[in-house]
Amino acid sequence: MNSLWRRLFRRPLAWGSLVVLVILYLAMSLCEFLAPYDPNHLFEGHSDLPPNLIWYSPQEGLGPQVQTVALVNGVTREYVRVRGEYTPVKFFVPTDPVKLWGVIPLPFHLFGTDYGRDPAGKAQPVFVMGTDNLGRDVFSRILYGSRISLTIGFVGVFISLGLALIFGGLAGYYGGIWDWIIMRLCEFIILIPGLYLILFLRSILSDHMDTGQSYMLITVILSFVGWPGTARMIRGMVHAVKRQDFVSNAQLESMPSLVILFRHIVPQMSSILILSVTLGVPGFILGETALSYLGLGIVDPAVSWGSMINRDATSVSNLLSFPWLFAPGIFLVIVTLAFNFLGELLRDWADPNWKETA
Amino acid sequence: MNELLEVTNLTKSFQLHAGLFAQADQRVYALGGVDLTLRTGETYGLVGESGSGKTTLARTLVQLEAHERGTIRYLSSDGSAWEVRRGDRRNLERYRQEVRYVFQDPSSSLDPRMTVGDLLTIGARQRTRGKDRAGLVARAREGLDHVGLRASDWDRRPSEFSGGQRQRIALARALVTRPRLLICDEVVSALDVSVRGQILELLLDLKNRFGLSMVFIAHDLDVVAYMADRVGVLYGGRMMEEAPSRLLVEKPLHPYTKLLFDSAPGAGIRSRETSAQKLTPTRALTGCPFAPRCPLVIDRCRTEIPLPRAVGPQSGRLVACHRVEAE
């Protein structure tokens, strides 16, 4: 374990990735507190507003603040800034009541403005990453959306890799009739066009479902379609490893087959397993994105990065006119890269022949 | 009864091709009826070229391969004798604790991802279901000491050791179950010549200290003669000659044994037939397996399988050859 930490600090990319992921997952778990607004709150008159957080103005001086804007063209959503009208951004402001994890009532959010509680009615809301066409805060939506996007990968990889390990491992180790049955099952599932299977399952099951259910459903469907390929790969590797002397040696020591499989054979594949986890996580995030794009994934009012990208960032004109709507895509890229850099480190660490280079 | 292991007529063949289109009759006859007795405390040497069946014999002895015909009788530590079979799981488990197989190449017989401590204890940990952990660890550490490794090596992985040290780990692992018989399958072949001597000395030391019996396999006659009390010479899955090692070195009788001595490096080429032609017996033998290469071959050798006969007075020497006269 020590050597893992040592190696971690020698690699700025891996180190940075870990920090980024920790921050993102922390933010995910605390999103009620960190997000200034409800993800579905519609700010009238603020549709498609660009990010409006600024750090300096003559009136307010240095500090986070928001300049008031006025809509001049309702069709092209053109705004002009109003001279001299600024709203300071405050920390720990009491706003609409929310509960952390749906349990602990929160008296305030991390930051916000006096919008809605200002007697003069002049205060403006703060939009760190702008708003979408309904006037919803993109930043809050990204935070709330990460609840789905950042966990679906882990849950999905856990299910599909678990299935692949069990089935592939058993097929490879025992061989014979079990191998035949499991491999035919895999081929059968691979034969079914994945996308149509997903569409089919989703459409017969999705009628009256809330967010949680459809989220679970998507995860399970994605893992169900994903495991056979990995299982075949694992089977092949088990086949190769089980002929090695140390497996015979373990058999001579009368170890139970399952112990041999999981203590001796599976660890030999750890680098490939780590790789498939770190590549699988973004894969599942993207898979959810694809499903959302087809309208079969997370749909309004629930929010995920995939559904946001699908909703706001799939037309060129949208991207040209309102580039801030691509923010969830940037988060997606960052998370994917971070997992890959971290996976690379873990793979080297798991490799017994890897030598530390100065 | 003094025989620790009594092997009679051990036969094993492998299918040459696997799968749907395999020809059923294409088999490789690896062992064609081997007889062997091992007395308690004895070291039995096995020599032969590649493909002579040494390793198959050793693997069959621990039932890594199931034999087809013949019997292996083992005199267990509690005085009862039983027949070693694949199906007899309870006895087999005990047999495999008392009879340990040491592999040729320690870099492949030790899991590269485990630490030395894990390697030594994992087997026993499974067997005892986690009971007596402390005693096990103590025994394993003791074993590490017996093979000349340091206690600080406990947490290191096999890749951090040299070949000789790895073979020491493998030996320590075998010692954990307190074996009575070690089956050493070419344990020094993968090692540097300079380390070979050390490992051989270690084996002798362990043998004396724990009163081990040993089956020692090598293709190097000199090494086998040095280690073993009695030596059996295998060719084509059959025992060609068996004799006390001193007698065998002094006067090899079987033409194949002579050839083995002659083809050893440094011996000079005395025989006409020296190249190690690979023999792959894919048919059941009708005569002596060595007949095609034998300089003394006569017609009888091709039609009649020579059986081991005692040669010489009370020497315990057996030769399977039509051309060697019973003295």
Side-chain angles (χ1 to χ4, degrees), chain B residues 35-55:
Chain B
D35 297 327
L36 189 157
T37 10
L38 179 74
R39 301 186 194 104
T40 310
E42 187 184 37
T43 300
Y44 190 98
L46 272 176
V47 279
E49 300 171 342
S50 313
S52 60
K54 303 177 304 261
T55 297

PDB file of all heavy atoms in Angstrom, chain B residues 35-55:
ATOM      1  N   ASP B  35       7.610 -50.238 -13.258  1.00  0.00           N
ATOM      2  CA  ASP B  35       7.642 -50.763 -11.890  1.00  0.00           C
ATOM      3  C   ASP B  35       8.701 -49.989 -11.112  1.00  0.00           C
ATOM      4  O   ASP B  35       9.769 -49.694 -11.654  1.00  0.00           O
ATOM      5  CB  ASP B  35       8.019 -52.244 -11.883  1.00  0.00           C
ATOM      6  CG  ASP B  35       6.983 -53.071 -12.616  1.00  0.00           C
ATOM      7  OD1 ASP B  35       5.806 -52.680 -12.552  1.00  0.00           O
ATOM      8  OD2 ASP B  35       7.353 -54.054 -13.276  1.00  0.00           O
ATOM      9  N   LEU B  36       8.394 -49.717  -9.872  1.00  0.00           N
ATOM     10  CA  LEU B  36       9.334 -48.919  -9.095  1.00  0.00           C
ATOM     11  C   LEU B  36       9.042 -49.134  -7.615  1.00  0.00           C
ATOM     12  O   LEU B  36       7.885 -49.124  -7.206  1.00  0.00           O
ATOM     13  CB  LEU B  36       9.137 -47.455  -9.476  1.00  0.00           C
ATOM     14  CG  LEU B  36      10.068 -46.340  -9.033  1.00  0.00           C
ATOM     15  CD1 LEU B  36       9.921 -45.194 -10.001  1.00  0.00           C
ATOM     16  CD2 LEU B  36       9.804 -45.873  -7.640  1.00  0.00           C
ATOM     17  N   THR B  37      10.056 -49.328  -6.842  1.00  0.00           N
ATOM     18  CA  THR B  37       9.852 -49.399  -5.389  1.00  0.00           C
ATOM     19  C   THR B  37      10.764 -48.382  -4.735  1.00  0.00           C
ATOM     20  O   THR B  37      11.920 -48.222  -5.119  1.00  0.00           O
ATOM     21  CB  THR B  37      10.219 -50.784  -4.805  1.00  0.00           C
ATOM     22  OG1 THR B  37      10.860 -51.525  -5.808  1.00  0.00           O
ATOM     23  CG2 THR B  37       9.018 -51.466  -4.267  1.00  0.00           C
ATOM     24  N   LEU B  38      10.209 -47.719  -3.747  1.00  0.00           N
ATOM     25  CA  LEU B  38      10.986 -46.720  -3.035  1.00  0.00           C
ATOM     26  C   LEU B  38      10.953 -47.090  -1.565  1.00  0.00           C
ATOM     27  O   LEU B  38       9.888 -47.210  -0.966  1.00  0.00           O
ATOM     28  CB  LEU B  38      10.380 -45.337  -3.253  1.00  0.00           C
ATOM     29  CG  LEU B  38      11.088 -44.201  -2.547  1.00  0.00           C
ATOM     30  CD1 LEU B  38      12.389 -43.887  -3.248  1.00  0.00           C
ATOM     31  CD2 LEU B  38      10.208 -42.982  -2.512  1.00  0.00           C
ATOM     32  N   ARG B  39      12.129 -47.294  -1.012  1.00  0.00           N
ATOM     33  CA  ARG B  39      12.175 -47.663   0.410  1.00  0.00           C
ATOM     34  C   ARG B  39      12.210 -46.403   1.253  1.00  0.00           C
ATOM     35  O   ARG B  39      12.625 -45.340   0.788  1.00  0.00           O
ATOM     36  CB  ARG B  39      13.416 -48.507   0.690  1.00  0.00           C
ATOM     37  CG  ARG B  39      13.436 -49.775  -0.148  1.00  0.00           C
ATOM     38  CD  ARG B  39      14.569 -50.676   0.232  1.00  0.00           C
ATOM     39  NE  ARG B  39      14.726 -51.691  -0.818  1.00  0.00           N
ATOM     40  CZ  ARG B  39      15.702 -51.650  -1.726  1.00  0.00           C
ATOM     41  NH1 ARG B  39      16.594 -50.695  -1.699  1.00  0.00           N
ATOM     42  NH2 ARG B  39      15.773 -52.582  -2.671  1.00  0.00           N
ATOM     43  N   THR B  40      11.783 -46.530   2.481  1.00  0.00           N
ATOM     44  CA  THR B  40      11.769 -45.382   3.376  1.00  0.00           C
ATOM     45  C   THR B  40      13.189 -44.855   3.566  1.00  0.00           C
ATOM     46  O   THR B  40      14.119 -45.613   3.834  1.00  0.00           O
ATOM     47  CB  THR B  40      11.181 -45.777   4.741  1.00  0.00           C
ATOM     48  OG1 THR B  40       9.962 -46.456   4.503  1.00  0.00           O
ATOM     49  CG2 THR B  40      10.922 -44.562   5.597  1.00  0.00           C
ATOM     50  N   GLY B  41      13.337 -43.547   3.433  1.00  0.00           N
ATOM     51  CA  GLY B  41      14.633 -42.923   3.644  1.00  0.00           C
ATOM     52  C   GLY B  41      15.553 -42.970   2.442  1.00  0.00           C
ATOM     53  O   GLY B  41      16.660 -42.461   2.475  1.00  0.00           O
ATOM     54  N   GLU B  42      15.064 -43.547   1.356  1.00  0.00           N
ATOM     55  CA  GLU B  42      15.922 -43.708   0.194  1.00  0.00           C
ATOM     56  C   GLU B  42      15.734 -42.542  -0.785  1.00  0.00           C
ATOM     57  O   GLU B  42      14.688 -41.916  -0.815  1.00  0.00           O
ATOM     58  CB  GLU B  42      15.525 -45.013  -0.496  1.00  0.00           C
ATOM     59  CG  GLU B  42      16.439 -45.421  -1.623  1.00  0.00           C
ATOM     60  CD  GLU B  42      15.920 -46.675  -2.315  1.00  0.00           C
ATOM     61  OE1 GLU B  42      14.681 -46.807  -2.461  1.00  0.00           O
ATOM     62  OE2 GLU B  42      16.729 -47.502  -2.706  1.00  0.00           O
ATOM     63  N   THR B  43      16.771 -42.276  -1.555  1.00  0.00           N
ATOM     64  CA  THR B  43      16.615 -41.348  -2.663  1.00  0.00           C
ATOM     65  C   THR B  43      16.685 -42.139  -3.952  1.00  0.00           C
ATOM     66  O   THR B  43      17.661 -42.856  -4.202  1.00  0.00           O
ATOM     67  CB  THR B  43      17.733 -40.290  -2.671  1.00  0.00           C
ATOM     68  OG1 THR B  43      17.677 -39.571  -1.453  1.00  0.00           O
ATOM     69  CG2 THR B  43      17.554 -39.342  -3.837  1.00  0.00           C
ATOM     70  N   TYR B  44      15.632 -42.036  -4.711  1.00  0.00           N
ATOM     71  CA  TYR B  44      15.571 -42.775  -5.959  1.00  0.00           C
ATOM     72  C   TYR B  44      15.771 -41.790  -7.102  1.00  0.00           C
ATOM     73  O   TYR B  44      15.040 -40.815  -7.234  1.00  0.00           O
ATOM     74  CB  TYR B  44      14.220 -43.476  -6.083  1.00  0.00           C
ATOM     75  CG  TYR B  44      14.141 -44.458  -7.220  1.00  0.00           C
ATOM     76  CD1 TYR B  44      14.339 -45.816  -6.999  1.00  0.00           C
ATOM     77  CD2 TYR B  44      13.883 -44.025  -8.514  1.00  0.00           C
ATOM     78  CE1 TYR B  44      14.285 -46.719  -8.040  1.00  0.00           C
ATOM     79  CE2 TYR B  44      13.831 -44.919  -9.563  1.00  0.00           C
ATOM     80  CZ  TYR B  44      14.029 -46.271  -9.317  1.00  0.00           C
ATOM     81  OH  TYR B  44      13.980 -47.160 -10.347  1.00  0.00           O
ATOM     82  N   GLY B  45      16.749 -42.021  -7.921  1.00  0.00           N
ATOM     83  CA  GLY B  45      17.016 -41.127  -9.034  1.00  0.00           C
ATOM     84  C   GLY B  45      16.368 -41.624 -10.303  1.00  0.00           C
ATOM     85  O   GLY B  45      16.268 -42.829 -10.527  1.00  0.00           O
ATOM     86  N   LEU B  46      15.881 -40.694 -11.115  1.00  0.00           N
ATOM     87  CA  LEU B  46      15.324 -41.067 -12.407  1.00  0.00           C
ATOM     88  C   LEU B  46      16.047 -40.258 -13.475  1.00  0.00           C
ATOM     89  O   LEU B  46      16.097 -39.036 -13.390  1.00  0.00           O
ATOM     90  CB  LEU B  46      13.835 -40.740 -12.469  1.00  0.00           C
ATOM     91  CG  LEU B  46      12.826 -41.776 -11.976  1.00  0.00           C
ATOM     92  CD1 LEU B  46      11.441 -41.183 -12.036  1.00  0.00           C
ATOM     93  CD2 LEU B  46      12.911 -43.041 -12.808  1.00  0.00           C
ATOM     94  N   VAL B  47      16.588 -40.950 -14.458  1.00  0.00           N
ATOM     95  CA  VAL B  47      17.221 -40.222 -15.562  1.00  0.00           C
ATOM     96  C   VAL B  47      16.626 -40.653 -16.879  1.00  0.00           C
ATOM     97  O   VAL B  47      15.984 -41.701 -16.990  1.00  0.00           O
ATOM     98  CB  VAL B  47      18.754 -40.441 -15.637  1.00  0.00           C
ATOM     99  CG1 VAL B  47      19.473 -39.569 -14.660  1.00  0.00           C
ATOM    100  CG2 VAL B  47      19.087 -41.902 -15.453  1.00  0.00           C
ATOM    101  N   GLY B  48      16.876 -39.873 -17.874  1.00  0.00           N
ATOM    102  CA  GLY B  48      16.384 -40.180 -19.207  1.00  0.00           C
ATOM    103  C   GLY B  48      16.387 -38.905 -20.021  1.00  0.00           C
ATOM    104  O   GLY B  48      16.478 -37.807 -19.478  1.00  0.00           O
ATOM    105  N   GLU B  49      16.307 -39.070 -21.324  1.00  0.00           N
ATOM    106  CA  GLU B  49      16.277 -37.888 -22.188  1.00  0.00           C
ATOM    107  C   GLU B  49      14.941 -37.183 -22.079  1.00  0.00           C
ATOM    108  O   GLU B  49      14.012 -37.674 -21.437  1.00  0.00           O
ATOM    109  CB  GLU B  49      16.458 -38.307 -23.644  1.00  0.00           C
ATOM    110  CG  GLU B  49      17.738 -39.014 -23.943  1.00  0.00           C
ATOM    111  CD  GLU B  49      17.718 -39.565 -25.359  1.00  0.00           C
ATOM    112  OE1 GLU B  49      16.634 -39.687 -25.955  1.00  0.00           O
ATOM    113  OE2 GLU B  49      18.797 -39.877 -25.841  1.00  0.00           O
ATOM    114  N   SER B  50      14.833 -36.055 -22.765  1.00  0.00           N
ATOM    115  CA  SER B  50      13.529 -35.400 -22.867  1.00  0.00           C
ATOM    116  C   SER B  50      12.572 -36.361 -23.551  1.00  0.00           C
ATOM    117  O   SER B  50      12.935 -37.026 -24.515  1.00  0.00           O
ATOM    118  CB  SER B  50      13.631 -34.136 -23.719  1.00  0.00           C
ATOM    119  OG  SER B  50      14.743 -33.400 -23.314  1.00  0.00           O
ATOM    120  N   GLY B  51      11.371 -36.439 -23.029  1.00  0.00           N
ATOM    121  CA  GLY B  51      10.378 -37.296 -23.663  1.00  0.00           C
ATOM    122  C   GLY B  51      10.462 -38.739 -23.225  1.00  0.00           C
ATOM    123  O   GLY B  51       9.760 -39.589 -23.759  1.00  0.00           O
ATOM    124  N   SER B  52      11.294 -39.018 -22.230  1.00  0.00           N
ATOM    125  CA  SER B  52      11.413 -40.408 -21.823  1.00  0.00           C
ATOM    126  C   SER B  52      10.345 -40.803 -20.817  1.00  0.00           C
ATOM    127  O   SER B  52      10.211 -41.973 -20.497  1.00  0.00           O
ATOM    128  CB  SER B  52      12.802 -40.652 -21.226  1.00  0.00           C
ATOM    129  OG  SER B  52      12.993 -39.828 -20.104  1.00  0.00           O
ATOM    130  N   GLY B  53       9.622 -39.834 -20.311  1.00  0.00           N
ATOM    131  CA  GLY B  53       8.535 -40.155 -19.395  1.00  0.00           C
ATOM    132  C   GLY B  53       8.837 -39.850 -17.939  1.00  0.00           C
ATOM    133  O   GLY B  53       8.038 -40.168 -17.069  1.00  0.00           O
ATOM    134  N   LYS B  54       9.980 -39.215 -17.668  1.00  0.00           N
ATOM    135  CA  LYS B  54      10.343 -38.912 -16.278  1.00  0.00           C
ATOM    136  C   LYS B  54       9.279 -38.049 -15.607  1.00  0.00           C
ATOM    137  O   LYS B  54       8.770 -38.359 -14.534  1.00  0.00           O
ATOM    138  CB  LYS B  54      11.676 -38.137 -16.211  1.00  0.00           C
ATOM    139  CG  LYS B  54      12.844 -38.787 -16.845  1.00  0.00           C
ATOM    140  CD  LYS B  54      14.053 -37.876 -16.753  1.00  0.00           C
ATOM    141  CE  LYS B  54      13.829 -36.519 -17.334  1.00  0.00           C
ATOM    142  NZ  LYS B  54      14.299 -36.271 -18.667  1.00  0.00           N
ATOM    143  N   THR B  55       8.974 -36.920 -16.278  1.00  0.00           N
ATOM    144  CA  THR B  55       8.044 -35.977 -15.667  1.00  0.00           C
ATOM    145  C   THR B  55       6.638 -36.567 -15.578  1.00  0.00           C
ATOM    146  O   THR B  55       5.959 -36.386 -14.578  1.00  0.00           O
ATOM    147  CB  THR B  55       8.051 -34.666 -16.455  1.00  0.00           C
ATOM    148  OG1 THR B  55       9.351 -34.102 -16.364  1.00  0.00           O
ATOM    149  CG2 THR B  55       7.047 -33.697 -15.890  1.00  0.00           C
TER     150      THR B  55
END
